[in-house]
């Protein structure tokens, strides 16, 4: 995914720096060339030798080195890259970036670059939440700096909260998204994904077994082709991809609102397993057990989001793609579903438990359009996603 791309990786001085060594390895696995830069503080956590061994590149250190300047000045170094990544980005580095300081190699490179910059903040939760850091964050966002994380969880300092650096794989995803330059560049895409949760009362809900894996893979594949993706997701098991605009929803009604707010788009893919029914009047309070009595739930129909968008008179996306989850007569039912809902393509899959598709890693789909049906062999959900994304790119070209 990153073949031939050059990443300048600035490693800041934080305990998360040890994960940056793994990040170097994972970026190289994707074909990237990684040039590490270590701040002085970073050298307290990782050695230049490890960074150099893992990257197979010269490591630039926070020392004034005349040989380095003679070989490749800092301006050249920061411009030779396709992307500058700062991981971990400490509170101090963020402050320097926001203030435009250039008093060491890392901050000088960051000020001198004309390339995209992606940062993975990592710091103690109180430092992250401090108004100064939040101010710097807002400034950096306004400057167009890209972010991944921080994640929430237990921290090395013993506290809990947001501040952990994103995992290396998530940073790789963000790098792929930041460098995406493919046939969908400049296109706006919408993807729905995951199940919806329809409340019964404040503690109970109706849901389904969708993990969100196929929708997530699709959003990632579309973004890797350069699309600007809005990802409207119900409560899924898998984490949303990096580099897309995530809109998290719970219910079908909320999903419809989020979809409408994301329009207009060039193409929309509806991979969500939307609940067909909701409880007509969900209780505001927890429904209590009553002796001998069973609660009576009355259902109401949810809006059909795919049909609503497919049948829009104005502002309909140029291409609308639905999924059909079937357990019998898959192709016949899906073909009818395509006509009934009015979408352009429908991707049919057999979600009978025996196939292991719902909640699994693989999918076997048939793509149905107005001109016919094509069954693809069983493959991973990311391969299915890549193939659908490529066809969408062809159709929009
Ligand atoms: N869909 C939707 N809104 C709904 C129900 C479904 O947008 N309320 C979309 C799904 O995201 C999918 C397609 O419609 O792209 C088909 O979903 P599926 O569950 O297969 O079909 P249903 O509409 O539930 O029809 P049936 O119950 O007849 O299978």
């Amino acid at each position: 995914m990153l073949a031939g791309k050059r990443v300048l990786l600035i490693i800041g001085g934080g305990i998360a720096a040890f994960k940056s060594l793994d990040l170097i390895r994972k970026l190289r696995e994707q074909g990237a060339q990684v040039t590490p830069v270590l701040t002085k503080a970073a050298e307290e956590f990782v050695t230049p030798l490890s960074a150099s061994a893992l990257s197979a590149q010269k490591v630039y250190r926070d020392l004034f080195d005349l040989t380095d300047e003679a070989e490749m000045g800092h301006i050249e170094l920061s411009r030779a890259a396709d992307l500058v990544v700062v991981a971990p980005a400490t509170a101090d580095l963020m402050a320097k970036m926001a203030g435009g300081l250039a008093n060491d190699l890392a901050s000088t490179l960051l000020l001198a670059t004309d390339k995209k910059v992606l940062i993975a903040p990592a710091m103690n939760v109180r430092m992250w939440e401090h108004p100064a850091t939040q101010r710097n964050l807002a400034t950096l966002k306004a400057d167009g700096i890209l972010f991944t994380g921080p994640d929430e969880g237990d921290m090395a300092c013993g506290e809990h909260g947001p501040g952990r650096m994103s995992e290396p794989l998530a940073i790789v995803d963000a790098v792929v998204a930041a460098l995406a330059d493919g046939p969908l560049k400049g296109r706006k895409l919408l993807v729905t994904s995951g199940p919806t949760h329809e409340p019964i009362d404040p503690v109970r809900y109706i849901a389904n077994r969708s993990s969100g894996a196929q929708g997530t893979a699709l959003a990632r594949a579309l973004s890797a082709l350069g699309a600007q993706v809005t990802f409207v997701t119900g409560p899924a098991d898998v984490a949303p991809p990096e580099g897309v605009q995530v809109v998290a929803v719970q219910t079908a009604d909320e999903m419809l609102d989020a979809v409408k707010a994301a329009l207009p788009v060039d193409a929309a893919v509806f991979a969500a397993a939307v609940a067909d029914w909701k409880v007509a009047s969900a209780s505001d309070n927890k429904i209590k057990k009553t002796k001998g009595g069973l609660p009576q739930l009355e259902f109401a129909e949810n809006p059909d989001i795919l049909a609503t968008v497919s049948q829009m008179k104005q502002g309909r996306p140029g291409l609308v793609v639905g999924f059909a989850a079937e357990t019998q007569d898959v192709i016949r039912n899906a073909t009818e579903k395509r006509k009934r809902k009015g979408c352009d393509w429908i991707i049919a899959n057999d979600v009978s438990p025996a196939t292991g598709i719902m909640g699994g890693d693989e999918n076997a789909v048939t793509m149905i359009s107005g001109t016919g049906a094509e069954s693809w062999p069983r493959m991973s959900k990311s391969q299915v996603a890549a193939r659908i994304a490529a066809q969408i790119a062809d159709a929009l070209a």
Side-chain angles (χ1 to χ4, degrees):
M1 298 258 248
L2 293 171
K5 299 291 185 195
R6 289 160 305 176
V7 174
L8 184 71
L9 174 64
I10 296 174
I11 304 179
I15 185 66
F18 78 95
K19 291 203 261 184
S20 306
L21 296 178
D22 190 31
L23 174 63
I24 295 177
R25 222 168 44 85
K26 293 206 158 63
L27 286 168
R28 290 192 70 207
E29 277 168 13
Q30 295 296 326
Q33 180 196 307
V34 183
T35 303
V37 174
L38 263 63
T39 64
K40 199 156 180 256
E43 288 193 31
E44 302 290 331
F45 296 93
V46 292
T47 69
L49 185 60
S50 331
S52 155
L54 286 165
S55 64
Q57 294 290 325
K58 178 178 169 67
V59 171
Y60 293 85
R61 299 168 60 187
D62 210 8
L63 298 169
F64 195 69
D65 187 336
L66 284 177
T67 342
D68 287 352
E69 279 301 313
E71 275 174 25
M72 189 189 255
H74 56 263
I75 303 276
E76 178 56 21
L77 187 58
S78 65
R79 294 191 175 181
D82 295 302
L83 180 72
V84 180
V85 177
V86 188
T90 58
D92 180 63
L93 265 173
M94 283 177 62
K96 281 181 178 161
M97 287 174 77
L101 296 190
N103 59 358
D104 59 10
L105 180 61
S107 53
T108 306
L109 291 173
L110 285 160
L111 196 61
T113 192
D114 57 354
K115 296 295 159 48
K116 276 191 196 169
V117 178
L118 167 74
I119 79 173
M123 65 197 73
N124 165 277
V125 55
R126 285 180 216 292
M127 292 166 79
W128 174 251
E129 285 171 352
H130 194 283
T133 303
Q134 291 301 310
R135 243 186 346 258
N136 293 334
L137 173 69
T139 304
L140 294 174
K141 282 194 169 158
D143 288 349
I145 303 293
L146 305 169
F147 281 80
T148 167
D151 293 347
E152 201 164 324
D154 291 329
M155 318 205 55
C157 53
E159 290 190 72
H160 184 95
R164 284 166 61 104
M165 187 171 89
S166 284
E167 291 304 317
L169 270 181
I171 301 178
V172 171
D173 278 352
V175 169
V176 170
L179 287 172
D181 182 15
L184 289 175
K185 192 171 181 158
R187 298 289 194 174
K188 282 177 82 179
L189 270 283
L190 166 71
V191 177
T192 70
S193 180
T196 61
H197 284 185
E198 307 297 334
I200 297 171
D201 67 17
V203 295
R204 306 181 179 96
Y205 57 83
I206 296 171
N208 61 63
R209 293 185 200 284
S210 166
S211 64
Q214 187 63 80
T216 302
L218 258 162
R220 184 177 285 122
L222 292 164
S223 152
L225 293 185
Q228 188 188 328
V229 179
T230 304
F231 183 63
V232 179
T233 177
D237 295 342
V238 295
E242 292 286 337
V244 303
Q245 197 196 338
V246 180
V247 186
V249 299
Q250 295 280 328
T251 65
D253 284 320
E254 288 171 12
M255 189 172 272
L256 178 62
D257 288 345
V259 163
K260 282 184 178 161
L263 298 178
V265 294
D266 296 295
V269 187
F270 293 85
V274 185
D276 292 315
W277 307 285
K278 62 184 164 198
V279 175
S281 45
S283 171
D284 289 338
N285 295 308
K286 187 180 168 206
I287 301 173
K288 303 295 281 179
K289 270 191 298 232
T290 53
K291 224 175 172 169
L294 293 174
Q296 298 295 318
L297 294 183
E298 203 177 308
F299 288 95
E301 201 161 327
N302 263 329
D304 189 317
I305 304 165
L306 172 63
T308 306
V309 173
S310 297
Q311 293 163 26
M312 282 172 65
K313 296 273 176 289
Q314 264 185 345
R316 182 192 192 273
L319 181 68
V320 179
V321 183
F323 272 74
E326 306 290 345
T327 55
Q328 50 197 354
D329 278 338
V330 176
I331 296 181
R332 193 168 58 84
N333 280 334
T335 305
E336 265 170 29
K337 199 173 272 182
R338 188 188 80 83
K339 286 200 194 119
R340 191 171 68 239
K341 300 210 181 201
C343 55
D344 302 298
W345 303 346
I346 206 154
I347 316 287
N349 53 10
D350 185 345
V351 292
S352 313
T355 63
I357 283 172
M358 212 160 192
D361 295 331
E362 291 186 336
N363 207 350
V365 307
T366 300
M367 189 172 141
I368 300 168
S369 67
T371 56
E374 186 185 290
S375 294
W376 298 349
R378 192 175 170 113
M379 54 183 106
S380 72
K381 286 186 175 171
S382 49
Q383 284 168 321
V384 170
R387 210 157 150 172
I388 297 172
Q391 299 223 355
I392 291 176
D394 280 352
L396 293 183

